[in-house]
Amino acid sequence: MASTGKVRKARCQFTECASSLISVPAVDSKTTDRLIYFPGAIMEKYKIMETREGADAQKEYEFLVVPEFWDFDNIGVSRDLCQVTEDRDNAEFKFEWDGHTWELIHCQRYLACAECDRGPIGLLCEVQDANDHSSTRKICLLSIASVDCK
């Protein structure tokens, strides 16, 4: 999604809600390292909601890495995801961020709009450094395809 400004505002995609979720850096800004891309398989595997069309396995989907849960303006989380186990064998879910290559190893909860409870619009995940498996962290991954981002 190209934008001419420095920041886009991600909002709940449902017009009766339209709650502000978080500020998203524009593609041309200096903070685009928080924008990463995953293959369409992630949308299908984790059943992440999209705005218009169904998931396309050939398409790459834009996600915002949110390092701290408290960086959101308004977000809710689900209970633990019991059906999804560790994803250590999923090489397709690796990404570059914060000067490291990270692997998605466990998705713990879904993200949803805190105002209307609709979602899932992203994931709360545990990731590990691909080069140092002892280095792990929890991050939020917000699907840009699941929100209204202007």
Side-chain angles (χ1 to χ4, degrees), residues 85-98:
T85 58
E86 290 191 10
D87 297 319
R88 293 182 193 276
D89 60 335
N90 263 331
E92 65 187 332
F93 300 145
K94 288 184 179 181
F95 60 96
E96 299 289 326
W97 172 68
D98 199 28

Side-chain angles (χ1 to χ4, degrees), residues 72-107:
F72 285 99
D73 299 335
N74 191 16
I75 200 75
V77 294
S78 69
R79 292 187 176 144
D80 288 339
L81 296 179
C82 58
Q83 84 276 15
V84 181
T85 58
E86 290 191 10
D87 297 319
R88 293 182 193 276
D89 60 335
N90 263 331
E92 65 187 332
F93 300 145
K94 288 184 179 181
F95 60 96
E96 299 289 326
W97 172 68
D98 199 28
H100 300 273
T101 300
W102 297 93
E103 299 172 335
L104 188 81
I105 59 170
H106 183 71
C107 291

Side-chain angles (χ1 to χ4, degrees), residues 14-67:
F14 294 94
T15 54
E16 62 274 8
C17 180
S19 178
S20 174
L21 301 170
I22 193 169
S23 295
V24 178
V27 173
D28 59 352
S29 76
K30 293 180 181 176
T31 56
T32 55
D33 63 329
R34 290 182 53 205
L35 296 172
I36 62 169
Y37 296 86
F38 283 122
I42 197 168
M43 302 299 276
E44 182 60 32
K45 179 172 184 168
Y46 294 107
K47 309 294 185 218
I48 298 172
M49 183 176 74
E50 295 178 77
T51 53
R52 289 165 187 78
E53 69 278 346
D56 180 353
Q58 304 305 313
K59 180 179 173 183
E60 286 196 328
Y61 287 86
E62 185 178 33
F63 283 78
L64 177 68
V65 175
V66 183

